[in-house]
PDB file of all heavy atoms in Angstrom:
ATOM      1  N   ASN B  81     115.479  99.957  95.851  1.00  0.00           N
ATOM      2  CA  ASN B  81     116.381  99.966  97.071  1.00  0.00           C
ATOM      3  C   ASN B  81     116.548  98.658  97.801  1.00  0.00           C
ATOM      4  O   ASN B  81     117.466  98.149  98.184  1.00  0.00           O
ATOM      5  CB  ASN B  81     115.817 101.026  98.040  1.00  0.00           C
ATOM      6  CG  ASN B  81     116.119 102.416  97.527  1.00  0.00           C
ATOM      7  OD1 ASN B  81     116.901 102.618  96.710  1.00  0.00           O
ATOM      8  ND2 ASN B  81     115.394 103.420  98.145  1.00  0.00           N
ATOM      9  N   GLN B  84     118.780  96.408  95.985  1.00  0.00           N
ATOM     10  CA  GLN B  84     120.236  96.871  96.213  1.00  0.00           C
ATOM     11  C   GLN B  84     120.634  96.266  97.560  1.00  0.00           C
ATOM     12  O   GLN B  84     121.728  95.859  97.800  1.00  0.00           O
ATOM     13  CB  GLN B  84     120.265  98.335  96.160  1.00  0.00           C
ATOM     14  CG  GLN B  84     120.138  98.939  94.711  1.00  0.00           C
ATOM     15  CD  GLN B  84     120.364 100.303  94.731  1.00  0.00           C
ATOM     16  OE1 GLN B  84     121.354 100.929  95.096  1.00  0.00           O
ATOM     17  NE2 GLN B  84     119.400 101.216  94.269  1.00  0.00           N
ATOM     18  N   LEU B  85     119.701  96.287  98.538  1.00  0.00           N
ATOM     19  CA  LEU B  85     120.020  95.802  99.878  1.00  0.00           C
ATOM     20  C   LEU B  85     120.392  94.273  99.789  1.00  0.00           C
ATOM     21  O   LEU B  85     120.994  93.884 100.760  1.00  0.00           O
ATOM     22  CB  LEU B  85     119.001  96.029 100.812  1.00  0.00           C
ATOM     23  CG  LEU B  85     118.790  97.578 101.380  1.00  0.00           C
ATOM     24  CD1 LEU B  85     117.681  97.622 102.310  1.00  0.00           C
ATOM     25  CD2 LEU B  85     120.088  97.877 102.017  1.00  0.00           C
ATOM     26  N   VAL B  87     122.546  92.887  97.992  1.00  0.00           N
ATOM     27  CA  VAL B  87     123.935  92.842  98.007  1.00  0.00           C
ATOM     28  C   VAL B  87     124.539  92.888  99.410  1.00  0.00           C
ATOM     29  O   VAL B  87     125.326  92.005  99.714  1.00  0.00           O
ATOM     30  CB  VAL B  87     124.458  93.987  97.179  1.00  0.00           C
ATOM     31  CG1 VAL B  87     125.929  94.031  97.313  1.00  0.00           C
ATOM     32  CG2 VAL B  87     124.076  93.972  95.759  1.00  0.00           C
ATOM     33  N   PHE B  88     123.900  93.770 100.177  1.00  0.00           N
ATOM     34  CA  PHE B  88     124.520  93.832 101.628  1.00  0.00           C
ATOM     35  C   PHE B  88     123.979  92.818 102.604  1.00  0.00           C
ATOM     36  O   PHE B  88     124.533  92.189 103.407  1.00  0.00           O
ATOM     37  CB  PHE B  88     124.186  95.232 102.159  1.00  0.00           C
ATOM     38  CG  PHE B  88     124.746  96.373 101.376  1.00  0.00           C
ATOM     39  CD1 PHE B  88     124.094  97.018 100.400  1.00  0.00           C
ATOM     40  CD2 PHE B  88     126.170  96.859 101.574  1.00  0.00           C
ATOM     41  CE1 PHE B  88     124.598  98.089  99.669  1.00  0.00           C
ATOM     42  CE2 PHE B  88     126.633  97.837 100.871  1.00  0.00           C
ATOM     43  CZ  PHE B  88     125.953  98.429  99.830  1.00  0.00           C
ATOM     44  N   PHE B  89     122.616  92.517 102.433  1.00  0.00           N
ATOM     45  CA  PHE B  89     121.947  91.579 103.459  1.00  0.00           C
ATOM     46  C   PHE B  89     122.293  90.221 103.166  1.00  0.00           C
ATOM     47  O   PHE B  89     122.226  89.341 103.958  1.00  0.00           O
ATOM     48  CB  PHE B  89     120.439  91.854 103.400  1.00  0.00           C
ATOM     49  CG  PHE B  89     120.104  92.993 104.276  1.00  0.00           C
ATOM     50  CD1 PHE B  89     120.629  94.267 104.094  1.00  0.00           C
ATOM     51  CD2 PHE B  89     119.043  92.735 105.221  1.00  0.00           C
ATOM     52  CE1 PHE B  89     120.150  95.256 104.982  1.00  0.00           C
ATOM     53  CE2 PHE B  89     118.548  93.777 105.997  1.00  0.00           C
ATOM     54  CZ  PHE B  89     119.211  95.123 105.821  1.00  0.00           C
ATOM     55  N   VAL B  92     127.074  89.785 101.050  1.00  0.00           N
ATOM     56  CA  VAL B  92     128.128  90.017 102.079  1.00  0.00           C
ATOM     57  C   VAL B  92     128.218  89.016 103.077  1.00  0.00           C
ATOM     58  O   VAL B  92     129.167  88.353 103.420  1.00  0.00           O
ATOM     59  CB  VAL B  92     128.125  91.435 102.554  1.00  0.00           C
ATOM     60  CG1 VAL B  92     129.005  91.627 103.747  1.00  0.00           C
ATOM     61  CG2 VAL B  92     128.365  92.421 101.460  1.00  0.00           C
ATOM     62  N   TRP B 135     124.059 101.359 116.075  1.00  0.00           N
ATOM     63  CA  TRP B 135     124.814 101.704 114.740  1.00  0.00           C
ATOM     64  C   TRP B 135     124.455 103.077 114.411  1.00  0.00           C
ATOM     65  O   TRP B 135     125.357 103.896 113.836  1.00  0.00           O
ATOM     66  CB  TRP B 135     124.428 100.780 113.639  1.00  0.00           C
ATOM     67  CG  TRP B 135     125.227  99.556 113.736  1.00  0.00           C
ATOM     68  CD1 TRP B 135     124.934  98.305 114.212  1.00  0.00           C
ATOM     69  CD2 TRP B 135     126.709  99.526 113.329  1.00  0.00           C
ATOM     70  NE1 TRP B 135     126.019  97.410 114.001  1.00  0.00           N
ATOM     71  CE2 TRP B 135     127.151  98.142 113.443  1.00  0.00           C
ATOM     72  CE3 TRP B 135     127.531 100.337 112.818  1.00  0.00           C
ATOM     73  CZ2 TRP B 135     128.241  97.726 113.230  1.00  0.00           C
ATOM     74  CZ3 TRP B 135     128.885  99.921 112.510  1.00  0.00           C
ATOM     75  CH2 TRP B 135     129.179  98.593 112.644  1.00  0.00           C
ATOM     76  N   LEU B 139     127.530 105.642 113.804  1.00  0.00           N
ATOM     77  CA  LEU B 139     127.730 106.205 112.516  1.00  0.00           C
ATOM     78  C   LEU B 139     127.403 107.668 112.456  1.00  0.00           C
ATOM     79  O   LEU B 139     127.479 108.367 111.421  1.00  0.00           O
ATOM     80  CB  LEU B 139     126.749 105.507 111.407  1.00  0.00           C
ATOM     81  CG  LEU B 139     127.216 104.122 111.041  1.00  0.00           C
ATOM     82  CD1 LEU B 139     126.084 103.361 110.411  1.00  0.00           C
ATOM     83  CD2 LEU B 139     128.464 104.095 110.281  1.00  0.00           C
ATOM     84  N   ARG B 159     131.873 111.942 107.909  1.00  0.00           N
ATOM     85  CA  ARG B 159     130.554 112.513 107.545  1.00  0.00           C
ATOM     86  C   ARG B 159     129.484 111.795 108.422  1.00  0.00           C
ATOM     87  O   ARG B 159     129.671 110.829 109.036  1.00  0.00           O
ATOM     88  CB  ARG B 159     130.302 112.438 106.093  1.00  0.00           C
ATOM     89  CG  ARG B 159     129.952 110.929 105.654  1.00  0.00           C
ATOM     90  CD  ARG B 159     129.919 110.731 104.214  1.00  0.00           C
ATOM     91  NE  ARG B 159     131.270 110.939 103.677  1.00  0.00           N
ATOM     92  CZ  ARG B 159     131.648 111.052 102.474  1.00  0.00           C
ATOM     93  NH1 ARG B 159     130.699 111.262 101.590  1.00  0.00           N
ATOM     94  NH2 ARG B 159     132.989 111.232 102.209  1.00  0.00           N
ATOM     95  N   TRP B 161     127.093 109.474 108.249  1.00  0.00           N
ATOM     96  CA  TRP B 161     126.927 108.475 107.267  1.00  0.00           C
ATOM     97  C   TRP B 161     125.509 108.115 106.929  1.00  0.00           C
ATOM     98  O   TRP B 161     125.151 107.868 105.778  1.00  0.00           O
ATOM     99  CB  TRP B 161     127.634 107.133 107.670  1.00  0.00           C
ATOM    100  CG  TRP B 161     129.076 107.385 108.026  1.00  0.00           C
ATOM    101  CD1 TRP B 161     129.709 107.632 109.135  1.00  0.00           C
ATOM    102  CD2 TRP B 161     130.062 107.332 106.866  1.00  0.00           C
ATOM    103  NE1 TRP B 161     130.951 107.730 108.999  1.00  0.00           N
ATOM    104  CE2 TRP B 161     131.352 107.602 107.631  1.00  0.00           C
ATOM    105  CE3 TRP B 161     130.097 106.970 105.604  1.00  0.00           C
ATOM    106  CZ2 TRP B 161     132.571 107.708 106.944  1.00  0.00           C
ATOM    107  CZ3 TRP B 161     131.385 107.083 104.921  1.00  0.00           C
ATOM    108  CH2 TRP B 161     132.533 107.386 105.645  1.00  0.00           C
ATOM    109  N   LEU B 162     124.645 108.343 107.913  1.00  0.00           N
ATOM    110  CA  LEU B 162     123.119 107.890 107.668  1.00  0.00           C
ATOM    111  C   LEU B 162     122.437 109.164 107.138  1.00  0.00           C
ATOM    112  O   LEU B 162     121.314 109.102 106.800  1.00  0.00           O
ATOM    113  CB  LEU B 162     122.630 107.534 108.909  1.00  0.00           C
ATOM    114  CG  LEU B 162     123.109 106.075 109.500  1.00  0.00           C
ATOM    115  CD1 LEU B 162     122.575 105.742 110.922  1.00  0.00           C
ATOM    116  CD2 LEU B 162     122.652 104.916 108.543  1.00  0.00           C
ATOM    117  N   GLY B 163     123.070 110.239 107.112  1.00  0.00           N
ATOM    118  CA  GLY B 163     122.382 111.408 106.630  1.00  0.00           C
ATOM    119  C   GLY B 163     122.982 111.910 105.342  1.00  0.00           C
ATOM    120  O   GLY B 163     122.594 112.993 104.819  1.00  0.00           O
ATOM    121  N   ASP B 164     123.858 111.138 104.676  1.00  0.00           N
ATOM    122  CA  ASP B 164     124.393 111.518 103.381  1.00  0.00           C
ATOM    123  C   ASP B 164     123.786 110.855 102.302  1.00  0.00           C
ATOM    124  O   ASP B 164     123.593 109.530 102.334  1.00  0.00           O
ATOM    125  CB  ASP B 164     125.964 111.234 103.490  1.00  0.00           C
ATOM    126  CG  ASP B 164     126.648 111.743 102.301  1.00  0.00           C
ATOM    127  OD1 ASP B 164     126.530 111.222 101.195  1.00  0.00           O
ATOM    128  OD2 ASP B 164     127.361 112.738 102.416  1.00  0.00           O
ATOM    129  N   PHE B 165     123.442 111.480 101.163  1.00  0.00           N
ATOM    130  CA  PHE B 165     122.683 110.828 100.120  1.00  0.00           C
ATOM    131  C   PHE B 165     123.485 109.592  99.574  1.00  0.00           C
ATOM    132  O   PHE B 165     122.870 108.634  99.254  1.00  0.00           O
ATOM    133  CB  PHE B 165     122.294 111.771  99.094  1.00  0.00           C
ATOM    134  CG  PHE B 165     120.999 112.542  99.248  1.00  0.00           C
ATOM    135  CD1 PHE B 165     120.800 113.504 100.251  1.00  0.00           C
ATOM    136  CD2 PHE B 165     119.906 112.288  98.510  1.00  0.00           C
ATOM    137  CE1 PHE B 165     119.756 114.182 100.592  1.00  0.00           C
ATOM    138  CE2 PHE B 165     118.622 112.943  98.836  1.00  0.00           C
ATOM    139  CZ  PHE B 165     118.686 113.867  99.808  1.00  0.00           C
ATOM    140  N   ALA B 166     124.756 109.764  99.478  1.00  0.00           N
ATOM    141  CA  ALA B 166     125.568 108.773  98.832  1.00  0.00           C
ATOM    142  C   ALA B 166     125.879 107.646  99.760  1.00  0.00           C
ATOM    143  O   ALA B 166     126.058 106.510  99.266  1.00  0.00           O
ATOM    144  CB  ALA B 166     126.966 109.406  98.313  1.00  0.00           C
ATOM    145  N   THR B 167     125.813 107.779 100.962  1.00  0.00           N
ATOM    146  CA  THR B 167     126.343 106.783 101.994  1.00  0.00           C
ATOM    147  C   THR B 167     125.170 106.162 102.796  1.00  0.00           C
ATOM    148  O   THR B 167     125.408 105.221 103.519  1.00  0.00           O
ATOM    149  CB  THR B 167     127.467 107.255 102.781  1.00  0.00           C
ATOM    150  OG1 THR B 167     126.884 108.270 103.670  1.00  0.00           O
ATOM    151  CG2 THR B 167     128.519 107.739 102.170  1.00  0.00           C
ATOM    152  N   ALA B 168     124.043 106.636 102.799  1.00  0.00           N
ATOM    153  CA  ALA B 168     122.925 106.206 103.652  1.00  0.00           C
ATOM    154  C   ALA B 168     122.625 104.798 103.460  1.00  0.00           C
ATOM    155  O   ALA B 168     122.403 103.916 104.393  1.00  0.00           O
ATOM    156  CB  ALA B 168     121.767 107.096 103.732  1.00  0.00           C
ATOM    157  N   LEU B 169     122.437 104.409 102.159  1.00  0.00           N
ATOM    158  CA  LEU B 169     121.796 103.125 101.972  1.00  0.00           C
ATOM    159  C   LEU B 169     122.966 102.024 102.102  1.00  0.00           C
ATOM    160  O   LEU B 169     122.742 101.070 102.848  1.00  0.00           O
ATOM    161  CB  LEU B 169     121.442 102.925 100.458  1.00  0.00           C
ATOM    162  CG  LEU B 169     120.693 101.611 100.056  1.00  0.00           C
ATOM    163  CD1 LEU B 169     119.453 101.662 100.852  1.00  0.00           C
ATOM    164  CD2 LEU B 169     120.487 101.560  98.562  1.00  0.00           C
ATOM    165  N   PRO B 170     124.290 102.236 101.704  1.00  0.00           N
ATOM    166  CA  PRO B 170     125.318 101.360 102.207  1.00  0.00           C
ATOM    167  C   PRO B 170     125.531 101.158 103.527  1.00  0.00           C
ATOM    168  O   PRO B 170     125.675 100.163 104.119  1.00  0.00           O
ATOM    169  CB  PRO B 170     126.527 101.913 101.422  1.00  0.00           C
ATOM    170  CG  PRO B 170     126.088 102.739 100.216  1.00  0.00           C
ATOM    171  CD  PRO B 170     124.813 103.335 100.670  1.00  0.00           C
ATOM    172  N   ALA B 171     125.319 102.441 104.303  1.00  0.00           N
ATOM    173  CA  ALA B 171     125.429 102.252 105.772  1.00  0.00           C
ATOM    174  C   ALA B 171     124.381 101.411 106.345  1.00  0.00           C
ATOM    175  O   ALA B 171     124.716 100.595 107.219  1.00  0.00           O
ATOM    176  CB  ALA B 171     125.443 103.714 106.262  1.00  0.00           C
ATOM    177  N   VAL B 172     123.169 101.639 105.956  1.00  0.00           N
ATOM    178  CA  VAL B 172     122.085 100.836 106.356  1.00  0.00           C
ATOM    179  C   VAL B 172     122.408  99.337 106.138  1.00  0.00           C
ATOM    180  O   VAL B 172     122.148  98.396 106.829  1.00  0.00           O
ATOM    181  CB  VAL B 172     120.805 101.320 105.869  1.00  0.00           C
ATOM    182  CG1 VAL B 172     119.772 100.212 106.105  1.00  0.00           C
ATOM    183  CG2 VAL B 172     120.373 102.515 106.593  1.00  0.00           C
ATOM    184  N   GLY B 173     122.897  99.107 104.885  1.00  0.00           N
ATOM    185  CA  GLY B 173     123.259  97.679 104.364  1.00  0.00           C
ATOM    186  C   GLY B 173     124.220  97.127 105.177  1.00  0.00           C
ATOM    187  O   GLY B 173     124.155  95.881 105.627  1.00  0.00           O
ATOM    188  N   MET B 174     125.275  97.930 105.613  1.00  0.00           N
ATOM    189  CA  MET B 174     126.243  97.304 106.392  1.00  0.00           C
ATOM    190  C   MET B 174     125.760  96.872 107.903  1.00  0.00           C
ATOM    191  O   MET B 174     126.208  95.886 108.430  1.00  0.00           O
ATOM    192  CB  MET B 174     127.484  98.288 106.600  1.00  0.00           C
ATOM    193  CG  MET B 174     128.221  98.535 105.388  1.00  0.00           C
ATOM    194  SD  MET B 174     128.744  96.953 104.631  1.00  0.00           S
ATOM    195  CE  MET B 174     129.693  96.254 105.766  1.00  0.00           C
ATOM    196  N   ILE B 175     124.853  97.575 108.372  1.00  0.00           N
ATOM    197  CA  ILE B 175     124.195  97.165 109.648  1.00  0.00           C
ATOM    198  C   ILE B 175     123.521  95.842 109.410  1.00  0.00           C
ATOM    199  O   ILE B 175     123.609  94.901 110.244  1.00  0.00           O
ATOM    200  CB  ILE B 175     123.012  98.224 109.995  1.00  0.00           C
ATOM    201  CG1 ILE B 175     123.838  99.642 110.181  1.00  0.00           C
ATOM    202  CG2 ILE B 175     122.472  97.745 111.382  1.00  0.00           C
ATOM    203  CD1 ILE B 175     122.676 100.739 110.676  1.00  0.00           C
ATOM    204  N   GLY B 176     122.741  95.637 108.308  1.00  0.00           N
ATOM    205  CA  GLY B 176     122.152  94.333 108.086  1.00  0.00           C
ATOM    206  C   GLY B 176     123.191  93.337 107.847  1.00  0.00           C
ATOM    207  O   GLY B 176     122.975  92.249 108.343  1.00  0.00           O
ATOM    208  N   ALA B 177     124.215  93.601 107.201  1.00  0.00           N
ATOM    209  CA  ALA B 177     125.270  92.559 106.973  1.00  0.00           C
ATOM    210  C   ALA B 177     125.828  92.116 108.366  1.00  0.00           C
ATOM    211  O   ALA B 177     125.993  91.043 108.556  1.00  0.00           O
ATOM    212  CB  ALA B 177     126.394  93.191 106.120  1.00  0.00           C
ATOM    213  N   TRP B 178     126.029  93.109 109.217  1.00  0.00           N
ATOM    214  CA  TRP B 178     126.628  92.647 110.508  1.00  0.00           C
ATOM    215  C   TRP B 178     125.659  91.838 111.283  1.00  0.00           C
ATOM    216  O   TRP B 178     125.960  90.830 111.973  1.00  0.00           O
ATOM    217  CB  TRP B 178     126.850  94.044 111.204  1.00  0.00           C
ATOM    218  CG  TRP B 178     127.302  94.032 112.585  1.00  0.00           C
ATOM    219  CD1 TRP B 178     128.542  93.726 113.129  1.00  0.00           C
ATOM    220  CD2 TRP B 178     126.581  94.257 113.851  1.00  0.00           C
ATOM    221  NE1 TRP B 178     128.599  93.689 114.485  1.00  0.00           N
ATOM    222  CE2 TRP B 178     127.366  94.112 114.845  1.00  0.00           C
ATOM    223  CE3 TRP B 178     125.177  94.482 113.948  1.00  0.00           C
ATOM    224  CZ2 TRP B 178     126.946  94.180 116.202  1.00  0.00           C
ATOM    225  CZ3 TRP B 178     124.682  94.650 115.357  1.00  0.00           C
ATOM    226  CH2 TRP B 178     125.617  94.464 116.459  1.00  0.00           C
ATOM    227  N   ILE B 243     115.482  97.924 111.025  1.00  0.00           N
ATOM    228  CA  ILE B 243     116.788  98.710 110.967  1.00  0.00           C
ATOM    229  C   ILE B 243     116.604  99.997 110.266  1.00  0.00           C
ATOM    230  O   ILE B 243     117.175 101.067 110.703  1.00  0.00           O
ATOM    231  CB  ILE B 243     117.970  97.852 110.288  1.00  0.00           C
ATOM    232  CG1 ILE B 243     118.235  96.643 111.135  1.00  0.00           C
ATOM    233  CG2 ILE B 243     119.154  98.746 110.004  1.00  0.00           C
ATOM    234  CD1 ILE B 243     118.977  95.556 110.399  1.00  0.00           C
ATOM    235  N   ILE B 244     115.877 100.020 109.192  1.00  0.00           N
ATOM    236  CA  ILE B 244     115.758 101.372 108.381  1.00  0.00           C
ATOM    237  C   ILE B 244     114.816 102.166 109.202  1.00  0.00           C
ATOM    238  O   ILE B 244     115.147 103.448 109.209  1.00  0.00           O
ATOM    239  CB  ILE B 244     115.138 100.976 106.966  1.00  0.00           C
ATOM    240  CG1 ILE B 244     116.263 100.436 106.044  1.00  0.00           C
ATOM    241  CG2 ILE B 244     114.756 102.223 106.372  1.00  0.00           C
ATOM    242  CD1 ILE B 244     116.238  99.007 105.971  1.00  0.00           C
ATOM    243  N   THR B 248     117.116 105.457 109.824  1.00  0.00           N
ATOM    244  CA  THR B 248     116.985 106.571 108.785  1.00  0.00           C
ATOM    245  C   THR B 248     115.546 107.041 108.528  1.00  0.00           C
ATOM    246  O   THR B 248     115.297 107.945 107.880  1.00  0.00           O
ATOM    247  CB  THR B 248     117.724 106.178 107.459  1.00  0.00           C
ATOM    248  OG1 THR B 248     116.983 105.050 106.922  1.00  0.00           O
ATOM    249  CG2 THR B 248     119.140 106.022 107.494  1.00  0.00           C
ATOM    250  N   GLY B 251     115.072 108.094 104.996  1.00  0.00           N
ATOM    251  CA  GLY B 251     115.690 109.255 104.457  1.00  0.00           C
ATOM    252  C   GLY B 251     117.230 109.074 104.261  1.00  0.00           C
ATOM    253  O   GLY B 251     117.711 107.888 104.392  1.00  0.00           O
ATOM    254  N   PRO B 252     118.005 110.069 103.772  1.00  0.00           N
ATOM    255  CA  PRO B 252     117.550 111.275 103.415  1.00  0.00           C
ATOM    256  C   PRO B 252     116.871 111.303 102.046  1.00  0.00           C
ATOM    257  O   PRO B 252     117.361 110.721 101.078  1.00  0.00           O
ATOM    258  CB  PRO B 252     118.696 112.205 103.531  1.00  0.00           C
ATOM    259  CG  PRO B 252     119.841 111.204 103.113  1.00  0.00           C
ATOM    260  CD  PRO B 252     119.452 109.885 103.742  1.00  0.00           C
ATOM    261  N   THR B 255     116.153 107.923  99.992  1.00  0.00           N
ATOM    262  CA  THR B 255     117.122 107.161  99.441  1.00  0.00           C
ATOM    263  C   THR B 255     117.294 105.817 100.126  1.00  0.00           C
ATOM    264  O   THR B 255     117.918 104.813  99.633  1.00  0.00           O
ATOM    265  CB  THR B 255     118.605 107.810  99.533  1.00  0.00           C
ATOM    266  OG1 THR B 255     118.805 108.194 100.889  1.00  0.00           O
ATOM    267  CG2 THR B 255     118.667 108.909  98.615  1.00  0.00           C
ATOM    268  N   THR B 256     116.790 105.724 101.375  1.00  0.00           N
ATOM    269  CA  THR B 256     116.742 104.443 102.082  1.00  0.00           C
ATOM    270  C   THR B 256     115.374 103.775 102.139  1.00  0.00           C
ATOM    271  O   THR B 256     115.169 102.992 103.039  1.00  0.00           O
ATOM    272  CB  THR B 256     117.443 104.380 103.392  1.00  0.00           C
ATOM    273  OG1 THR B 256     116.816 105.378 104.254  1.00  0.00           O
ATOM    274  CG2 THR B 256     118.902 104.871 103.244  1.00  0.00           C
TER     275      THR B 256
END
Side-chain angles (χ1 to χ4, degrees):
Chain B
N81 287 343
Q84 290 183 58
L85 281 182
V87 172
F88 298 96
F89 277 52
V92 171
W135 275 100
L139 294 165
R159 70 197 65 196
W161 301 94
L162 294 169
D164 189 285
F165 274 72
T167 64
L169 189 65
V172 164
M174 290 313 298
I175 300 176
W178 175 78
I243 290 171
I244 286 99
T248 60
T255 52
T256 60

